[in-house]
Amino acid sequence: MSGSKRRKFASLLPALHAQQIRQVVLIGSARSNHVIALSQLLLEQGIEPYFLLKQNHQPEPQGNSLLLGLLAKPERIRYLDREAWKERDGHAREWVDKLGPGATFVPEGGFCREALPGACTLLPDIIENEKQQGLTFEQVWVDAGTGLTAAALILM
């Protein structure tokens, strides 16, 4: 994991610890780099990941979905079909309520207030790189995923 994910997690993980979170429901697809990366960090931090995933239509797990099967107990994985996926945050809130105090969810792609401070570190780093290289970048291209990094660039 690197780049914008690393930046988002740099502020998200301390926020989870400050809130004394012990269980996190992650939202995404079974092929999501975000879900895999954050679940590994949560496990390292002693926080239990749970997974609310978009229904996968591939019969055999491969890539990230294969790795997810190795990281997660089957009872911690729930799949939503296309129709239910439209209400994924509501389904996540229900699961968090059942898990009880010390549980929360991280929206798809980490698009949440706690990840914003980390995402906002990109523009100062770009400016510093320009100074170090004696350049002025005319364009900056970013991955558009959920848009948090792009929003942070605009905000900054």
Side-chain angles (χ1 to χ4, degrees):
M1 155 206 33
S2 63
S4 61
K5 286 176 187 36
R6 184 172 173 265
R7 291 174 186 280
K8 289 189 278 186
F9 299 159
S11 59
L12 177 59
L13 287 169
L16 294 174
H17 281 296
Q19 297 170 33
Q20 298 182 331
I21 298 299
R22 306 305 323 145
Q23 299 163 315
V24 175
V25 176
L26 300 177
I27 300 174
S29 85
R31 297 181 302 252
S32 167
N33 289 330
H34 165 78
V35 167
I36 292 296
L38 186 51
S39 65
Q40 291 175 71
L41 291 173
L42 292 171
L43 288 166
E44 289 175 2
Q45 301 280 319
I47 299 172
E48 298 175 52
Y50 293 75
F51 304 90
L52 189 61
L53 305 173
K54 189 174 189 178
Q55 185 69 48
N56 187 355
H57 297 290
Q58 292 178 324
E60 294 296 320
Q62 56 186 345
N64 283 349
S65 64
L66 179 64
L67 182 54
L68 182 62
L70 300 172
L71 290 170
K73 298 176 183 175
E75 62 271 14
R76 292 188 180 170
I77 302 174
R78 294 186 185 167
Y79 291 95
L80 298 178
D81 63 25
R82 184 180 301 256
E83 192 61 34
W85 186 250
K86 295 174 185 175
E87 301 298 326
R88 60 191 169 272
D89 287 0
H91 290 283
R93 283 186 192 93
E94 288 175 13
W95 202 357
V96 165
D97 289 345
K98 289 178 184 173
L99 291 171
T104 192
F105 77 94
V106 174
E108 189 173 10
F111 195 99
C112 58
R113 177 182 60 229
E114 294 82 1
L116 186 59
C120 286
T121 64
L122 180 56
L123 186 60
D125 285 350
I126 290 172
I127 293 168
E128 183 60 29
N129 284 330
E130 286 180 325
K131 289 178 186 174
Q132 289 175 359
Q133 300 298 317
L135 300 170
T136 300
F137 301 130
E138 293 180 23
Q139 297 178 348
V140 176
W141 294 77
V142 295
D143 179 351
T146 59
L148 181 66
T149 298
L153 278 171
I154 293 167
L155 177 66
M156 293 303 291

